Amino acid sequence: MASPLRFDGRVVLVTGAGGGLGRAYALAFAERGASVVVNDLGGDFKGLGKGSFAAADKVVEEIRSKGGKAVANYDSVEAGEKIVRTALEAFGRIGDVSLILRDSSFGRISDEDWDIIHRVHLRGSFQVTRAAWNHMKKQKFGRIVMTSSASGIYGNFGQASYSAAKLGLLGFSNTLAIEGKTSNIHCNTIAPTAGSRMTQTVMAEDLLKALKPDYVAPLVLWLCHESCEENGSLFEVGGGWIGKLRWERTLGAIVRQKNQPVTPEAVKANWKKICDFDNATKPQSIQESVASLIGVVNTIDSDGGVSTNHTSHAASTATSEFAGAIGHKFPPFSSAYTELETIMYALGVGASVKEPKDMKFIYEGSTDFSCLPTFGVIIAQKFVIGGGLSEIPGFSVNLAKVLHGEQYLELYKPLPRAGNLRCEAVVADVLDKGSGSVILVDVYSYFEEELICYNQFSLFLVGSGGTGGKRTSDKVKATVAVPNRPPDAVLTDTTSLNQAALYRLSGDWNPLHIDPNFAGFAGFDKPILHGLCTFGFSARHVLQKFADNDVSRFKAIKVRFAKPVYPGQTLQTEMWKEGNRIHFQTKIQETGDIVISNAYVDLMPTSDTSAQTPSEELQSTLVFEEIGRRLKDIGHEVAKKVNAVFEWHITKGGNIAAKWTIDLKSGFGKVYQGPAKGPADATFTLSDEDFMDVVLGKLDPQKVMSLRAHSSSLLPF
């Protein structure tokens, strides 16, 4: 059973706490350890006049009688500073504060009392919040719950002023949620239905019991708890039921053409589309809302038509236009790189000198220097970075509205340490997901006419769906859910604050990852990390844990990007081994948010030397055994001269058939079958036949193995 939520050391200020919902909140917080300021003006259920303070005093007395901490305040919410001062004087602080700003009790009020309604409900909430805001920011903590009403959300006959004030609170709360987020101040809104002084004269007794304020309080306590990450949300609650609300918007229709006026006749003609909520979108920020309108303007200005609005929220795209995009081939392009680019990429995805086994990825002088397998996406991404998406027939792509949904990469052999690869990209399929379209782009990369790797980019175009096209495709490289059991292995890496700045040097220059202003316009608090950077971190973790950084064992990877990562956060890769497939998901350790989901890496199987090619059948076995015998006589002198450990991978038929280690690091040296028992200074992979040709002098070891060190001392016997 989960541990109970406690509020020890927290100060909670509840307005209107003399009865009804406010009383229920105050009692519940006090019971769980909070120090409570019970504010109530003491007016009657119509909100008229100022009472005898008895309401607040009774609640304080009730809390104290149960061993709790509470103090009464009788000021109007318009005097917000006085209410906050009460908390400071009574409890010495208000930094760790939660504000529960609820209804003051008003009955049926005429239009002449409009200002009274707004002063109490809207301005009063502003005054109390403003008085506490800087204290919250200073302490880097705050929880605010505004109390709206169904009347504000839906409207209600005879409550024009009340409804306006209550919906105003929602807008106020949403903005506070945005402005307070960086200071750990969360603001949410509730619209409760509960028995109170307002409703006791109009509700039946049994209904009043069913709608007890006690049934609302648990939601308020959760929203105010330090572990709750909910922010900027609206909830309806009552009678033991809780539901979250959100805005919804139709796909709409474009009703003008380039250089043409908008007419009411055009509006009438498109009215059905304008009001059709099938495949509706659900914008969650002003940036999302504005971006769609900008997309509309760009589409009209560039295409001049009403029907070709593929990146806007228009529902006029025909399925046949999608068909025209399928099979579209992008112009072939080349991707040239040197060791510098592969090293830069490795550093960008977290490889470090702190991990000795990473040296093979970041030091070109390593005898087993290798290119990280996921560098394959860098080779293939040029069609996106270079604006190739704009060439797809039937689509007018706004890159600001393109999301990288999923990625698949398959290698047919390890990437060369440097090279110039020729790439061919084609639109494999287009899917209609309602709120947008998914474009599948397959990219094939060749090195000297040999296919080296294959990528599938799954790109989501926000707002271009809703045309009735197909939703699935047999061409999709599908994701796979992770097993329902604890992970077999977990690795973590803390990203640097400069991680995005470093990774972008591999070719993704999107300002979203470096420019705070651009990131802010896109709806983020600060620049975010590239999804493919997180992809690289995760793949590196799998390769390290289950393949000992052996790039020859990497076969394929598939991921789904779920949430963004901010530079400086810690990535936690959870891995499950099932045969040669390693399932994984990646989380942000600090928040628990899953950022890569339903992912896997397929590894090439390790060779079973006893089952495939017994080492006795390998000619090289005789050589290693002979070296071992000779070391007994001259091993001491050789070890002093060489001072290195060599690991040999002998292949047969393309598979590793045996591993041998020659340890010339200390003592008299030794030779044994199997991988090195400590770090190897060099690892050589060679076929049994080539190994024997080198031993017999038929092949130059430098040319065969492309070695940069120790080559002249490989076989000193």
Side-chain angles (χ1 to χ4, degrees):
M1 184 175 179
S3 58
L5 301 177
R6 297 289 301 175
F7 294 87
D8 303 287
R10 300 296 188 195
V11 178
V12 178
L13 194 162
V14 184
T15 64
L21 287 167
R23 174 180 174 277
Y25 302 160
L27 293 175
F29 276 108
E31 182 181 354
R32 292 173 179 261
S35 300
V36 183
V37 176
V38 180
N39 165 263
D40 200 282
L41 187 63
D44 63 17
F45 80 93
K46 294 182 180 180
L48 301 176
K50 191 171 185 179
S52 62
F53 311 146
D57 290 338
K58 285 181 179 179
V59 175
V60 170
E61 184 178 337
E62 189 174 355
I63 290 173
R64 289 177 177 173
S65 69
K66 297 177 181 179
K69 299 177 182 179
V71 63
N73 175 274
Y74 319 108
D75 293 299
S76 166
V77 288
E78 292 185 85
E81 291 186 3
K82 293 182 179 179
I83 301 174
V84 172
R85 190 181 307 126
T86 299
L88 290 169
E89 292 174 352
F91 304 117
R93 62 185 302 176
I94 198 170
D96 298 338
V97 69
S98 295
L99 297 181
I100 318 303
L101 301 164
R102 60 166 299 274
D103 298 3
S104 292
S105 299
F106 278 82
R108 187 175 180 181
I109 299 177
S110 64
D111 291 345
E112 287 77 12
D113 292 323
W114 177 283
D115 288 342
I116 297 176
I117 291 284
H118 281 258
R119 285 208 316 267
V120 175
H121 289 278
L122 193 53
R123 182 175 171 80
S125 296
F126 158 70
Q127 294 282 14
V128 177
T129 305
R130 182 176 64 174
W133 189 256
N134 286 335
H135 297 286
M136 292 178 170
K137 290 185 68 175
K138 184 178 179 181
Q139 297 295 329
K140 293 290 185 181
F141 179 86
R143 296 291 186 267
I144 303 171
V145 178
M146 300 284 184
T147 302
S148 184
S149 167
S151 297
I153 299 171
Y154 307 109
N156 194 25
F157 182 84
Q159 291 189 307
S161 57
Y162 181 77
S163 299
K166 285 302 184 183
L167 194 58
L169 276 175
L170 177 60
F172 180 43
S173 177
N174 288 344
T175 297
L176 291 180
I178 295 170
E179 295 187 6
K181 185 177 179 181
T182 56
S183 298
N184 192 26
I185 301 173
H186 298 169
C187 190
N188 294 284
T189 306
I190 66 169
T193 299
S196 67
R197 284 177 287 181
M198 283 182 66
T199 58
Q200 63 187 8
T201 60
V202 296
M203 282 187 178
E205 184 66 24
D206 58 343
L207 186 56
L208 282 171
K209 291 181 179 179
L211 296 175
K212 289 195 303 184
D214 295 354
Y215 297 150
V216 176
L219 169 63
V220 175
L221 265 66
W222 167 237
L223 292 175
C224 288
H225 197 266
E226 60 188 10
S227 65
C228 181
E229 294 297 324
E230 195 71 33
N231 191 28
S233 300
L234 170 64
F235 300 88
E236 285 190 281
V237 54
W241 171 89
I242 302 170
K244 184 174 181 178
L245 283 75
R246 64 185 179 189
W247 293 106
E248 188 175 55
R249 180 171 63 187
T250 69
L251 293 176
I254 296 179
V255 295
R256 78 174 176 95
Q257 294 181 327
K258 187 175 182 179
N259 301 323
Q260 297 294 322
V262 178
T263 66
E265 289 77 17
V267 175
K268 177 183 177 181
N270 286 276
W271 194 245
K272 185 175 181 180
K273 292 180 181 179
I274 292 170
C275 299
D276 183 4
F277 276 90
D278 287 344
N279 300 314
T281 62
K282 301 169 182 66
Q284 297 181 5
S285 69
I286 192 170
Q287 288 80 12
E288 288 185 27
S289 175
V290 173
S292 66
L293 297 179
I294 293 174
V296 169
V297 173
N298 290 340
T299 298
I300 294 173
D301 289 344
S302 62
D303 296 334
V306 173
S307 60
T308 55
N309 185 34
H310 299 284
T311 61
S312 76
H313 286 184
S316 54
T317 309
T319 304
S320 61
E321 294 175 15
F322 280 179
I326 298 172
H328 168 73
K329 294 183 178 180
F330 298 88
F333 59 92
S334 62
S335 289
Y337 64 94
T338 66
E339 288 92 342
L340 174 64
E341 283 74 28
T342 63
I343 293 171
M344 189 72 72
Y345 173 78
L347 293 170
V349 297
S352 170
V353 294
K354 293 186 295 184
E355 173 53 61
K357 291 188 176 182
D358 281 354
M359 290 299 291
K360 65 186 294 184
F361 303 124
I362 58 178
Y363 174 45
E364 74 285 357
S366 298
T367 55
D368 56 347
F369 179 77
S370 303
C371 181
L372 275 170
T374 48
F375 185 72
V377 299
I378 302 299
I379 293 169
Q381 70 181 4
K382 187 179 291 186
F383 82 96
V384 177
I385 305 302
L389 292 179
S390 62
E391 302 171 5
I392 300 176
F395 282 86
S396 179
V397 177
N398 176 3
L399 288 179
K401 300 186 70 180
V402 177
L403 304 177
H404 196 170
E406 298 178 0
Q407 182 69 32
Y408 178 80
L409 166 67
E410 183 172 354
L411 297 187
Y412 301 103
K413 65 183 303 182
L415 295 169
R417 59 189 291 160
N420 188 0
L421 275 65
R422 177 175 56 85
C423 301
E424 298 175 356
V426 60
V427 176
D429 216 338
V430 179
L431 308 179
D432 186 349
K433 295 297 185 179
S435 59
S437 300
V438 173
I439 299 180
L440 301 177
V441 180
D442 289 344
V443 183
Y444 301 87
S445 301
Y446 299 85
F447 181 64
E448 297 178 350
E449 304 305 318
E450 181 181 8
L451 180 61
I452 294 291
C453 67
Y454 158 72
N455 279 270
Q456 184 177 88
F457 293 80
S458 179
L459 306 173
F460 187 80
L461 275 59
V462 178
S464 64
T467 66
K470 63 182 180 180
R471 299 181 64 87
T472 61
S473 171
D474 57 3
K475 297 179 181 178
V476 174
K477 299 296 182 181
T479 56
V480 180
V482 299
N484 185 23
R485 57 182 171 83
D488 299 321
V490 178
L491 289 181
T492 61
D493 255 322
T494 300
T495 62
S496 163
L497 292 175
N498 293 317
Q499 203 72 55
L502 179 59
Y503 182 83
R504 69 191 299 267
L505 299 181
S506 289
D508 188 342
W509 303 97
N510 190 334
L512 176 65
H513 307 292
I514 193 71
D515 186 341
N517 294 326
F518 193 93
F521 182 77
F524 298 102
D525 295 332
K526 51 189 174 182
I528 62 174
L529 194 62
H530 306 69
L532 284 176
C533 180
T534 304
F535 167 88
F537 267 87
S538 304
R540 194 172 51 77
H541 285 167
V542 174
L543 195 68
Q544 175 184 332
K545 187 65 181 179
F546 291 99
D548 195 30
N549 277 355
D550 183 354
V551 298
S552 68
R553 291 201 58 206
F554 186 96
K555 181 180 180 183
I557 180 172
K558 172 69 179 186
V559 307
R560 174 178 293 162
F561 300 107
K563 283 190 175 182
V565 176
Y566 290 109
Q569 291 183 316
T570 301
L571 297 174
Q572 175 176 301
T573 306
E574 300 175 343
M575 296 164 276
W576 294 261
K577 187 177 189 303
E578 293 195 342
N580 291 312
R581 172 163 288 183
I582 312 300
H583 299 269
F584 72 91
Q585 64 183 15
T586 305
K587 294 180 176 178
I588 299 174
Q589 190 178 63
E590 292 83 354
T591 65
D593 290 340
I594 296 175
V595 295
I596 285 182
S597 65
N598 297 348
Y600 64 82
V601 168
D602 283 337
L603 298 175
M604 298 294 290
T606 55
S607 297
D608 185 344
T609 57
S610 63
Q612 293 185 16
T613 309
S615 59
E616 301 83 54
E617 298 180 12
L618 298 173
Q619 298 179 69
S620 56
T621 299
L622 300 175
V623 176
F624 286 109
E625 291 175 347
E626 179 62 23
I627 293 174
R629 284 190 288 270
R630 294 194 183 190
L631 281 178
K632 294 178 181 179
D633 298 323
I634 60 173
H636 182 65
E637 291 79 11
V638 175
K640 287 175 60 177
K641 176 182 177 182
V642 178
N643 190 32
V645 176
F646 304 100
E647 183 173 314
W648 292 81
H649 295 177
I650 304 300
T651 66
K652 192 77 172 178
N655 296 316
I656 296 176
K659 291 184 179 181
W660 287 87
T661 298
I662 302 178
D663 183 352
L664 300 176
K665 199 83 168 183
S666 59
F668 287 86
K670 55 184 175 180
V671 176
Y672 55 88
Q673 189 170 358
K677 296 175 181 177
D681 294 289
T683 300
F684 309 122
T685 301
L686 205 62
S687 71
D688 188 57
E689 294 80 7
D690 285 345
F691 180 89
M692 292 306 299
D693 284 345
V694 170
V695 172
L696 297 173
K698 296 180 180 179
L699 286 177
D700 182 348
Q702 286 275 23
K703 294 181 179 180
V704 174
M705 294 175 280
S706 299
L707 303 178
R708 294 193 174 205
H710 306 302
S711 58
S712 61
S713 302
L714 294 182
L715 297 169
F717 312 109

